[in-house]
Amino acid sequence: MLEALLTSTSEGAPVQAAALRGGQWITDGPQSERIGPYLRQPVSRAPTAAPADVEAVRAHARAYARTVGRLAPAVRADVLERAAAVAAGNRDELARLLALELGKPLKDGRGEIDRVADTFAVCAAEARQIGGETLPVAGWARGIGNTAFTYRAPAGVALAITPFNAPANLLAHKLGASFAAGNTTIVKAPPQAPAASTAIVALLIEAGMPYEAVQLLHGDGSVGAALCAAPEVAVISFTGSAATGAAVARAAGAKRLVLELGGNAATIVCDDADIAEAARVCARTGYSNSGQSCISVQRVYVDRSRYSEFLDALTAQVGKLNVGDPLDPGTDVGSMVDEDAAERVVRWSAEAAAGGGRVVLGGTRDGATAAPTIVADPPAGASLVTEEVFGALVAVMPFDDLAEVIERCNQSRYGLQAGIFTRDLDRAFTAWRDLEVGGLVVNGSSNFRLDHVPFGGVKDSGFGRESPRCMIDDYTVVKTMTLRGTSLWGDRG
């Protein structure tokens, strides 16, 4: 399946994605087409799941959960290590698939596949560490004469619902960690990236993941809702909007949830910052993947004494970005996911300008390609300040002191990640303590992530943490065994 997907990307016809159901690759049945946002023509098609398909994957997952759970951690780790190698070996072809379906530039796609390989390798390493502990029960009077042990057991059936903006790496996180933990996993792919999602599942199968361990369905939100409500599902990992995350939680009921939701990321540039470097980093990370990242640079607050200097430097850096064909290796900014998303950038920048802000750069689109846009001094109530733009738009605003700007940052209902440029450690620790976010990047923008480091938010940005180690905790349950009358310490004195 993997070879068929990757070789068909250069043939001009739409790539045929597949579902994986009950150990069988399925390509027939009713199809949905994906229109490439840059090419503006069909680039992939996928079989859409019917209610009977949902019932079939539920039954298969229920039947084989114990089979997968009995696989030794070393076996799971070996599969994941091979998957890392397969991903690295098919880097360019997988990046091309992302470019076709999403308009993601090849350089961004290659970077995502590099992260896929790293993520599988980290999942393998974490699988080898799964174990338990002997509890010190004899430290309490009622525990004398007894021994207790724990181990981390697979939750059973996991559901992974993945987003369009990083469909390869976020699927690697969810599916890789779930398999490392010993679960069987049902994957609900994003409609915008069916072929890329199929490719990641296919490379895991090629690497030796048993068919009992994974199933893949395509479809709309009704498919995801049915899977969330399924009693067989023990844990759900979802990445997407806050509104959809709330719907997932309602449908799931009393299940374990890891929700990585929206963001409205702020980056603070202090008066002691290296302005040229801060501008370079914000330009690069504000428009990579056309700003379609939950931690993309959206709000930049600059010390008033350096504000004009930074704005000029940022404008110059953004002006150097190459916008165009995502299949051109020199392109920095490709298309957004669709024309509606690009229109949001245009509409919100115009709204800010009507309220007194200045559109310094951009504010236009060509189809789904939004010109990299900078808005200076937008009003505090503008949508691009209060909501998640998820696009190629950065707002730049001055501030007067650190306490004030932290308060302004915290007015957002989101709290995923922030950045701060400063040489002052006291400022860095103050921001780390007082900003209402899940993570802070010092001397970098909000848009930086290491895949083996805990990642997640607070407030409407969700809860739980994504990284293989943290996700394995969520994908497993602690089971305890107590031995009565058996202990190294049985003497009560």
Side-chain angles (χ1 to χ4, degrees):
M1 176 54 66
L2 180 62
E3 182 179 359
L5 282 168
L6 299 185
T7 56
S8 62
T9 59
S10 58
E11 295 174 357
V15 178
Q16 180 62 62
L20 180 57
R21 188 177 72 238
Q24 300 292 322
W25 288 107
I26 308 295
T27 57
D28 56 1
Q31 303 282 309
S32 60
E33 278 193 330
R34 170 62 179 161
I35 305 298
Y38 184 81
L39 295 177
R40 308 184 196 185
Q41 65 186 38
V43 293
S44 63
R45 62 171 63 97
T48 56
D53 300 323
V54 173
E55 294 301 316
V57 300
R58 287 175 52 188
H60 186 82
R62 180 174 62 247
Y64 287 100
R66 288 188 178 180
T67 302
V68 178
R70 291 191 183 105
L71 290 175
V75 173
R76 304 175 215 153
D78 287 345
V79 169
L80 291 163
E81 286 178 349
R82 288 193 295 269
V86 174
N90 291 280
R91 176 178 185 252
D92 289 345
E93 295 84 359
L94 290 165
R96 180 177 174 84
L97 200 53
L98 293 169
L100 288 170
E101 288 197 308
L102 299 170
K104 178 176 288 193
L106 284 176
K107 61 175 64 177
D108 286 346
R110 288 167 179 157
E112 182 172 349
I113 302 306
D114 289 341
R115 291 178 63 187
V116 168
D118 285 349
T119 297
F120 283 143
V122 173
C123 288
E126 294 298 339
R128 299 188 191 279
Q129 302 299 316
I130 295 175
E133 62 179 326
T134 302
L135 302 178
V137 295
W140 302 90
R142 292 188 65 242
I144 295 174
N146 302 298
T147 301
F149 306 97
T150 67
Y151 83 101
R152 302 204 73 95
V157 178
L159 171 61
I161 304 178
T162 52
F164 73 81
N165 61 313
N169 189 44
L170 291 179
L171 178 52
H173 269 278
K174 298 176 191 302
L175 180 51
S178 180
F179 181 63
N183 296 305
T184 186
T185 308
I186 302 170
V187 176
K188 162 61 176 69
Q192 303 90 341
S197 302
T198 303
I200 297 302
V201 174
L203 76 82
L204 280 160
I205 295 294
E206 183 171 304
M209 177 179 280
Y211 281 100
E212 294 86 355
V214 59
Q215 298 180 92
L216 168 67
L217 291 183
H218 304 279
D220 59 18
S222 64
V223 176
L227 290 169
C228 286
E232 295 85 358
V233 172
V235 57
I236 301 170
S237 178
F238 168 82
T239 301
S241 71
T244 307
V248 166
R250 289 192 297 270
K255 293 184 175 73
R256 290 185 175 207
L257 296 174
V258 180
L259 302 180
E260 197 269 276
L261 307 178
N264 178 2
T267 294
I268 300 168
V269 181
C270 296
D271 59 359
D272 62 340
D274 181 333
I275 294 297
E277 175 65 6
R280 185 191 69 80
V281 171
C282 288
R284 178 171 51 82
T285 58
Y287 304 94
S288 59
N289 198 23
S290 294
Q292 295 171 124
S293 167
C294 48
I295 53 175
S296 184
V297 177
Q298 180 171 332
R299 296 177 290 157
V300 181
Y301 295 95
V302 187
D303 187 277
R304 194 176 298 277
S305 66
R306 311 294 300 275
Y307 178 72
S308 295
E309 179 186 357
F310 175 86
L311 185 59
D312 290 345
L314 179 67
T315 303
Q317 289 288 335
V318 175
K320 296 176 183 177
L321 297 175
N322 295 318
V323 182
D325 186 353
L327 292 170
D328 182 342
T331 296
D332 299 305
V333 181
S335 298
M336 295 185 66
V337 69
D338 54 37
E339 292 194 19
D340 288 344
E343 179 60 26
R344 183 172 61 249
V345 171
V346 175
R347 185 173 67 253
W348 284 13
S349 58
E351 173 199 282
R358 292 183 294 121
V359 179
V360 177
L361 202 65
T364 62
R365 70 178 177 94
D366 179 6
T369 302
T373 300
I374 299 173
V375 177
D377 303 307
S383 297
L384 59 84
V385 176
T386 61
E387 301 298 328
E388 180 180 34
V389 66
F390 214 68
L393 172 58
V394 173
V396 186
M397 296 156 283
F399 74 89
D400 293 303
D401 65 71
L402 187 61
E404 170 236 333
V405 74
I406 288 174
E407 178 60 29
R408 289 167 67 185
C409 290
N410 288 344
Q411 287 172 0
S412 172
R413 65 190 180 99
Y414 297 106
L416 190 51
Q417 190 156 280
I420 186 170
F421 286 88
T422 182
R423 296 184 177 92
D424 187 329
L425 277 179
D426 184 62
R427 286 173 170 171
F429 275 90
T430 297
W432 188 26
R433 181 191 65 210
D434 293 344
L435 283 169
E436 295 171 356
V437 292
L440 176 68
V441 181
V442 178
N443 288 321
S445 78
S446 60
N447 194 0
F448 180 74
R449 178 181 176 185
L450 296 173
D451 290 293
H452 58 288
V453 170
F455 177 79
V458 298
K459 301 194 288 189
D460 279 2
S461 289
F463 50 81
R465 292 295 178 266
E466 280 202 346
S467 74
R469 177 175 295 181
C470 293
M471 294 185 80
I472 285 172
D473 285 348
D474 286 306
Y475 283 139
T476 55
V477 295
V478 175
K479 296 186 73 172
T480 305
M481 180 175 70
T482 303
L483 301 180
R484 294 296 307 274
T486 301
S487 176
L488 292 173
W489 300 279
D491 190 355
R492 293 180 177 269

